[in-house]
Amino acid sequence: MDFKLTEEHIMIRDAARDFAKSELLPGVIERDEKQEFPKEQVKKMGELGFLGMMASPEYGGGGMDTVSYVLAMEEISKIDASASVVMSVNNSLVCWGLETFGSAEQKQKYLSKLTTGEALGAFCLSEPEAGSDATSQKTTAIDQGDHYILNGTKNWITNGNSADFYIVIAQTHREKKHKGINAFIVEKDWEGFEVGPKENKLGIRGSDTHSLNFNDVKVPKENRIGEDGFGFKFAMKTLSGGRIGIAAQALGIASGAYELAKNYSKQRKAFGTEICNHQAIAFKLADMHTNIEAARHLVMKAAWDKDNGNNYDLSGAMAKLFASKTAMEVTVEAVQVHGGNGYVKEYHVERLMRDAKITQIYEGTSEIQKIVISRSVLHD
Ligand code: COS
């Protein structure tokens, strides 16, 4: 067993760290306050190859492994989780889904633009009445011969207004239940497609989350992904990898907050000494560090499973469950270590605490991860 990163992994991690510090840190507080999408920064992420890291170079991607991807996700998330969710959705839901299950024409037409940041992608599964219960799709895609007619509403869509291409899950044959669901590529400027209101969120406020309406949108048949009825499996398989990305995001939020708390505790004095010299603070740091290391091992194991062709449904779900819980606990403690300053925006930890919560909710709540984990261990 080798826990060492390769030189290439270290290079990628350091490049992401430098980018986050130089490009994302300036303005991160203001973007959070104003709910401003990091447009320029995302453009640069595309130019530097952070938006299509695992995609094949044939389609403009970086051809990197999942370990590289989670290392970069952690570094970006330490500073700006709003930017890292854009990166995560584009890499692991949209690019990976298209490359793995899309047709040659779909990859040529869409993937090549998505990997470079020329275009941005969104993944549209959730609906007003179908988040966790993903088989209950109300959005319909009616087969009309050479095209489908799409009708319905999607909710809480990351990159909702910033995306150019949307992967949309919809029900084609209701009587076949989940076996009648399909996935489609929809372009933003198609008639009948409308971006709904932007959500005013607790955290990741720089990312733009919208509802979307589809009113008789005509989708050519060649834009269906995979065989008729493959849509639910497509969503599940894609989300399994997406969960590794969100686990890495949670890990980054936790380690970002921990580093801030550790540094602060070495400077702030109380009762005649730096507060890190008080056991009350030192023990908090010990717990934070231990849990972060445990989360890192789970995230790396899930990434390694994916890179080595193993099933990663279980390891990805465990990584997301544990890393998101760690992110919540560590960020709350980081605010506590900062005392009154922790409650103030300038110190960053309150934002990280707000950002952490979503990692227990999106791409499958913690309760959904427990369903996946318990089913897997019980049917082993
Ligand atoms: N990979 C491939 N196929 C999968 C799969 C996976 N990871 N998970 C489930 N499936 C398949 C099953 O094999 C089954 O297919 P068959 O009928 O051909 O055997 C089908 O999907 C339905 O599975 P199941 O009966 O387990 O469905 P459930 O309704 O019980 O739901 C959960 C399963 C809860 C795991 C699923 O609905 C889920 O992940 N929900 C959360 C969705 C989510 O993440 N929402 C957030 C939106 S994205 S921000």
Side-chain angles (χ1 to χ4, degrees):
M1 202 176 293
D2 187 357
F3 286 99
K4 255 176 69 194
L5 295 174
T6 64
E7 278 188 17
E8 199 189 333
H9 287 145
I10 292 171
M11 248 172 54
I12 292 161
R13 185 196 63 193
D14 291 351
R17 186 175 292 172
D18 291 345
F19 173 78
K21 282 196 179 137
S22 62
E23 303 287 342
L24 293 172
L25 186 57
V28 67
I29 294 170
E30 292 73 22
R31 290 196 299 276
D32 171 73
E33 247 173 345
K34 294 181 190 153
Q35 303 191 71
E36 194 179 298
F37 185 78
K39 197 166 177 223
E40 283 309 307
Q41 293 82 351
V42 168
K43 191 165 166 267
K44 281 191 189 149
M45 284 166 86
E47 287 160 9
L48 290 170
F50 288 124
L51 294 183
M53 292 184 72
M54 295 173 289
S56 149
E58 192 187 341
Y59 299 107
M64 293 175 220
D65 59 10
T66 316
V67 168
S68 304
Y69 167 58
V70 299
L71 286 168
M73 273 297 295
E74 180 183 350
E75 293 304 323
I76 306 272
S77 306
K78 279 183 189 175
I79 306 274
D80 188 350
S82 295
S84 74
V85 68
V86 177
M87 173 175 163
S88 180
V89 165
N90 204 70
N91 272 283
S92 43
L93 296 185
V94 180
C95 289
W96 187 86
L98 270 180
E99 177 151 25
T100 311
F101 302 111
S103 67
E105 294 74 29
Q106 289 168 354
K107 292 184 211 178
Q108 211 56 54
K109 187 169 176 189
Y110 297 109
L111 185 58
S112 317
K113 291 187 177 149
L114 289 160
T115 52
T116 55
E118 190 184 333
L120 207 54
F123 185 85
C124 316
L125 172 67
S126 295
E127 299 188 349
E129 290 170 69
S132 292
D133 183 9
T135 57
S136 298
Q137 294 287 307
K138 296 251 181 350
T139 300
T140 54
I142 305 304
D143 193 340
Q144 303 282 2
D146 65 342
H147 66 272
Y148 289 87
I149 293 292
L150 201 58
N151 275 292
T153 300
K154 293 290 173 182
N155 255 27
W156 311 299
I157 304 303
T158 301
N159 299 340
N161 195 29
S162 310
D164 304 275
F165 307 138
Y166 299 75
I167 294 181
V168 183
I169 314 295
Q171 182 64 260
T172 299
H173 313 281
R174 193 159 302 284
E175 69 290 353
K176 292 188 187 169
K177 300 190 173 149
H178 69 268
K179 290 191 166 77
I181 290 174
N182 278 307
F184 303 93
I185 307 161
V186 173
E187 297 183 24
K188 189 180 195 174
D189 56 7
W190 284 354
E191 211 181 316
F193 174 59
E194 179 191 59
V195 176
K198 181 172 171 164
E199 303 292 353
N200 184 359
K201 307 192 296 288
L202 172 74
I204 56 163
R205 288 168 58 82
S207 73
D208 75 322
T209 309
H210 287 256
S211 58
L212 305 174
N213 298 315
F214 302 90
N215 305 308
D216 289 332
V217 178
K218 191 173 167 185
V219 183
K221 214 152 215 179
E222 62 264 25
N223 276 34
R224 188 186 71 212
I225 301 173
E227 293 297 308
D228 186 22
F230 180 62
F232 191 71
K233 285 238 153 111
F234 168 84
M236 289 297 110
K237 283 174 182 280
T238 306
L239 276 168
S240 277
R243 287 166 186 167
I244 303 175
I246 299 305
Q249 182 188 42
L251 173 64
I253 293 171
S255 50
Y258 162 73
E259 284 170 20
L260 289 167
K262 189 172 72 173
N263 293 339
Y264 183 82
S265 74
K266 287 179 176 177
Q267 285 157 14
R268 173 80 180 181
K269 288 190 178 156
F271 304 103
T273 183
E274 288 78 15
I275 59 170
C276 63
N277 296 324
H278 297 300
Q279 202 176 63
I281 301 298
F283 277 17
K284 281 191 197 302
L285 295 170
D287 282 338
M288 288 156 110
H289 184 72
T290 305
N291 281 326
I292 289 169
E293 275 303 291
R296 183 170 288 117
H297 282 92
L298 283 173
V299 172
M300 284 298 169
K301 170 62 166 54
W304 183 86
D305 274 341
K306 186 159 176 282
D307 288 335
N308 284 278
N310 302 335
N311 186 303
Y312 49 89
D313 295 341
L314 174 61
S315 53
M318 291 195 300
K320 183 177 183 291
L321 176 68
F322 190 79
S324 60
K325 182 170 174 274
T326 301
M328 219 41 247
E329 290 169 358
V330 166
T331 53
V332 168
E333 285 295 70
V335 170
Q336 193 69 17
V337 170
H338 280 75
N341 284 329
Y343 213 62
V344 172
K345 290 195 184 297
E346 282 68 26
Y347 286 82
H348 297 283
V349 283
E350 66 81 32
R351 186 186 70 256
L352 290 167
M353 186 181 88
R354 287 185 285 107
D355 289 348
K357 186 59 203 168
I358 192 61
T359 64
Q360 293 187 304
I361 298 174
Y362 58 18
E363 298 199 25
T365 60
S366 294
E367 291 73 16
I368 289 291
Q369 306 315 320
K370 287 183 191 179
I371 292 180
V372 173
I373 296 164
S374 58
R375 280 186 185 173
S376 173
V377 294
L378 290 168
H379 298 143
D380 239 357

